[in-house]
Amino acid sequence: MTTNYIGKPTNRVDGYAKVTGGAKYAGEHNVPGLTYGVVVSSDIARGRISRIDASEALKLNGVLEVFTHENRPSLPWFDRNYQDQDQPPGSPFRPLYDNEIQFSQQPIALVVAETFELARYAASLVKVQYVREPHGTDLRAIQGQAYAPSKGKPSWKKPRPRGNAAQGMEQSIFKIEGRYDHAAEHHNPLEMHASTVVYEPSGKLTVYDKTQGVPNSQKYISRIFGLSKAQATVHAPFIGGAFGSGLRPQYQLFLAVMAALQLKRSVRVTLTRQQMFSFGHRPATIQRFELGADAEGKLQAVVHEAIQETSQFEDYTENVVNWSGTVYQCDNVEPTYKLVKLDTYTPLDMRAPGGATAMAAYEVAIDELAYAAGIDPLEFRLINYTERDPMQDLPYSSKELRACYRQAAERFGWSNRRPEPRSMRDGNELIGWGMATGIWEAEQKPAMAKAVLTADGKLTVSSATEDIGTGTYTIMTQIAAETLGLPLENVTFELGDSSMPEAPLQGGSWTAATVGSAVKSACLEVQKRLFEYAGSMPDSPLAKADADGVVFADGRIHLKHYPTIGVTIQDVLRHSGVDRIEEEVTTLPDMLRQKKYARFTHSAVFVEVKVDEDLGTVHVTRVVTAVAGGRILNPKTARSQVLGGVVWGIGMALEEESVLDHQFGRFINHDLAEYHVAVNLDVPPIDVIFVEENDTVVNPLGVKGLGEIGVVGTPAAIANAVFHATGKRLRDLPITLDKVM
Amino acid sequence: MSNQSATITEAPKTAQLPRTSIVTLTVNGEQRSLRIAPWTTLLDALREYLDLTGTKKGCDHGQCGACTVLVDGKRINACLALAVMVDDREITTIEGLTKEGSATPDGLHPMQAAFIEHDAFQCGYCTPGQICSAVGLLKEGHAHSREDIQELMSGNICRCGAYPNIVDAIEDVKNHQPDRA
Ligand code: FES
Ligand code: FES
């Protein structure tokens, strides 16, 4: 059938807008009379502002106002007003609240002027005097202050020990122990955070914000500025990447809305690349493992400790130590999770938060144990394979990880690997082959969607979700078109508008499952109505058919067993006498069924690196990854999701590191020349295999989500390949050449 | 830990602001006049004054390539050029490529069409810069292999990691372009 789109490689429906420059991002909605806000950032990490003087800036013609803690409007200041949907326990940051400095680059003033050039210059004229207080930003130095958090974010699961790890270690024949560190990382989406607030003559605000959830931003400004849903709408039709940075409303939104309301003018605030290092980040983490295995290589004990940084004002928590008790069969597990408060901004979920951190270390430790036991690393993982989730003691809704291992290993040629380190080379380059397992949650959340079919046969489906590059526009269009049997061109999916039916934050790899289920369900409601109308048409060939006996395809409703007998949807609409069919639904996950199963996406990653023996430079030359992610809605965009994740894994393993200069308490490499991300030449051919996986539990579509799985196993696979190449076990990420030498 | 002390951030003295002036730019074959301060970058002139927001700002420091445009056919970072420096040149932005380009039904430049076909983007924010850069690259004629393309496109960061598809798209266009002597 020509209207079967699910599972077919389909070009992005928003592709034309993106390749022609027509797609408008948050900082690109130009309106007459727009003014520009430039943020002044704190030079110190902790202390107080004793004096702030904007008089020189205000003298310039065209400078409208300089907002500071001294002249900001009076606002509600309760913590609850500043809540958001991704908030850790604690007291959220309130921009311009008072003179206290809590982190370096804290926004301390907003200069608003008629042009960007003027605002930027005027910002340089604001004089600030501080009283410094001692700051602590060195996680390693003050890890002694670590404490176990009593509560965490809603998604946080308190680590649960099982069995007796000390005894397990004692019984083990093969043992390893080690410490694994990784640096803080910043999301650095290519589009910098921006908000354009359009001040309508009526006083209504139309806000374009860089966010992973328009409802989140809308509620945030409503609570703070007392704006109803109608007084301020938030829009984000295009987002230039986010990777987690848009999960919480960032301070440019607050500042732009505040300035627009005060000045009764339209205001845009765009952060600089430097300021992109002034809010959330993946927290630096110190991990320690003790692992033991018996003579056959069976895991007997897993001791996993993690210490992560958080801010002074919030307890940001990730599920880190939980993963080591989840991936393989082991009866004795002892997880410990602790936080250290630093004078930095609160960390923030960044692509596969916790999972990428844990697996980057754990899968290296597992490799070490495999070597200690003299067992091939892939074989070792198969020995410890589990058919039941050991953490929750539940069966899996589906788990085709074995197929991932097999197919990826075969494609990679793993059986040709010589196990001894430094045993493979190409001239001056040492060759290393490494592998690792990846795992991520397959979740579904509640969501709403609306479908509107009009008399011209065009369908518009909407939900206040996002497309941060994930392909949401495209896969939702495919789902809607196939469900109603309409050609793709007749279907439009709309998102990123707070007046649309609500959807959760776009994150956690749950959007395809969550919004996809809502879209499908809304379209099924439209189907029902169409079927009713079809049956009551004069001389309807479907008058006696029942709903299960018909199919919606190719723009028609026809009998399942007699495809030639049917009616066109256009005719049904014409005869129905209605000019539109509109259905809005709320879809909830089937919790009763889902909670009986453990639901995960899995992957296997195989990597080849070449290491220059003299220079210590590491190049990833080949990656094969197989993913078991349930049903694949669109192999084209799905592959891109995984490619992106693998590229992030390369960055995490070899390049990305936000360096804190403890003298100033500031991330010192705060630009794209000094903070290295993978560039084109760093990325080799990446072979992505989707193994077949049928899952009837995760959600009605059987999809598991792919946004995060690509990054999870990759860093460890690279680190393991570097060991195989060089014989040097590197436990600190990123693996830069100074560490290799 | 730092010592307790008072610091003063000294701001520079207020300079007499240079006057704005009228600059005429030739963008996508059209002459456009705008009144700007002399230190306005080409990038801000395009985005904020001419509403040509297809050219993106990813760093404002010549470090990401998002702002790549063609000036007299050569790719440059628009954030590193002042608008007044290019008032006598032909500027082509992503919005102008469609006009310049050849015959796909929807008027897309072959590079734009190839980017869609190869899914050479995700969020799309680096995309106009990648496409302009790729068009400039093929004109330069130095890319003879896949690795050459990768090297010569490494000034254009794609944080979404679409690199393998970007290279596929460029190779595709390169292999189909008429041989130039
Ligand atoms: S904005 Fe010009 S290179 Fe980044
Ligand atoms: S497509 Fe998002 S940065 Fe390249």
Side-chain angles (χ1 to χ4, degrees), chain A residues 190 240-241, chain B residues 120-127 130 157-162 166:
Chain A
L190 201 60
Chain B
F121 52 86
Q122 293 169 36
C123 77
Y125 198 77
C126 71
T127 312
Q130 301 278 1
I157 289 175
C158 176
R159 184 55 161 158
C160 295
I166 291 171

Side-chain angles (χ1 to χ4, degrees), chain B residues 43 56-60 62-67 77 79:
Chain B
L43 177 58
K56 305 303 182 195
K57 184 187 279 190
C59 69
D60 223 4
Q63 299 169 345
C64 76
C67 62
N77 287 338
C79 68

Side-chain angles (χ1 to χ4, degrees), chain A residues 214-231:
Chain A
V214 282
N216 194 28
S217 293
Q218 203 281 331
K219 285 174 189 163
Y220 179 80
I221 58 174
S222 297
R223 276 193 293 261
I224 298 170
F225 298 101
L227 300 164
S228 71
K229 242 186 139 172
Q231 283 169 318

Side-chain angles (χ1 to χ4, degrees), chain A residues 12 25 30 56 117 640 678, chain B residues 14 49 51 119 123 150 163:
Chain A
R12 281 175 206 256
Y25 298 80
N30 292 334
E56 291 296 310
E117 290 74 26
S640 287
Chain B
T14 312
Y49 294 83
D51 198 25
D119 207 35
C123 77
Q150 288 196 268
Y163 299 122

Side-chain angles (χ1 to χ4, degrees), chain A residues 122-416:
Chain A
S124 74
L125 302 178
V126 177
K127 290 180 206 147
V128 189
Q129 202 170 317
Y130 303 95
V131 176
R132 261 177 215 267
E133 280 165 28
H135 58 255
T137 52
D138 191 343
L139 175 64
R140 291 188 201 206
I142 56 176
Q143 56 174 296
Q145 301 172 6
Y147 60 94
S150 53
K151 52 182 186 179
K153 294 181 25 169
S155 56
W156 186 64
K157 298 178 198 95
K158 209 172 178 136
R160 279 210 319 251
R162 63 175 183 262
N164 184 332
Q167 219 169 63
M169 281 307 288
E170 240 162 70
Q171 287 159 5
S172 294
I173 310 286
F174 304 109
K175 300 175 193 188
I176 66 111
E177 202 252 313
R179 203 183 107 168
Y180 306 75
D181 289 9
H182 82 70
E185 298 178 334
H186 280 81
H187 308 72
N188 276 311
L190 201 60
E191 176 203 22
M192 298 173 294
H193 273 249
S195 303
T196 303
V197 179
V198 179
Y199 191 90
E200 315 277 0
S202 62
K204 177 193 179 268
L205 303 186
T206 304
V207 181
Y208 297 93
D209 185 35
K210 181 179 176 79
T211 173
Q212 284 169 261
V214 282
N216 194 28
S217 293
Q218 203 281 331
K219 285 174 189 163
Y220 179 80
I221 58 174
S222 297
R223 276 193 293 261
I224 298 170
F225 298 101
L227 300 164
S228 71
K229 242 186 139 172
Q231 283 169 318
T233 53
V234 178
H235 306 256
F238 292 100
I239 299 105
F243 317 107
S245 69
L247 290 173
R248 301 187 72 181
Q250 301 303 353
Y251 59 78
Q252 91 285 341
L253 173 66
F254 171 97
L255 294 172
V257 171
M258 176 201 68
L261 289 171
Q262 286 302 106
L263 299 171
K264 303 198 178 346
R265 294 281 303 268
S266 299
V267 179
R268 170 178 305 150
V269 179
T270 305
L271 301 187
T272 63
R273 180 53 64 186
Q274 283 68 23
Q275 288 165 342
M276 290 298 290
F277 290 75
S278 66
F279 53 95
H281 53 276
R282 195 194 293 285
T285 309
I286 299 169
Q287 297 181 71
R288 205 181 69 83
F289 282 103
E290 271 177 65
L291 305 181
D294 67 11
E296 277 90 57
K298 285 219 163 74
L299 270 173
Q300 298 303 310
V302 175
V303 178
H304 184 182
E305 296 168 16
I307 299 177
Q308 289 197 299
E309 48 153 322
T310 189
S311 67
Q312 298 288 358
F313 46 97
E314 288 170 317
D315 271 3
Y316 172 83
T317 48
E318 288 183 343
N319 294 314
V320 178
V321 290
N322 316 51
W323 290 107
S324 49
T326 300
V327 191
Y328 304 111
Q329 179 54 48
C330 182
D331 293 335
N332 306 304
V333 176
E334 197 180 300
T336 318
Y337 181 72
K338 287 182 177 168
L339 295 177
V340 172
K341 284 195 176 296
L342 300 184
D343 292 303
T344 56
Y345 196 88
T346 311
L348 175 59
D349 294 328
M350 178 162 156
R351 208 169 194 173
T357 296
M359 296 297 276
Y362 185 48
E363 282 293 290
V364 174
I366 287 288
D367 201 68
E368 291 183 52
L369 189 58
Y371 267 91
I375 300 172
D376 173 84
L378 172 56
E379 181 57 33
F380 188 86
R381 285 166 172 87
L382 288 169
I383 291 170
N384 290 289
Y385 197 87
T386 172
E387 299 288 3
R388 209 176 154 78
D389 175 31
M391 188 69 111
Q392 307 168 74
D393 193 23
L394 292 173
Y396 292 104
S397 61
S398 61
K399 180 179 178 182
E400 295 295 341
L401 176 59
R402 232 185 260 281
C404 291
Y405 287 138
R406 191 179 349 100
Q407 292 182 28
E410 208 172 284
R411 185 82 60 91
F412 187 83
W414 183 257
S415 57
N416 300 322

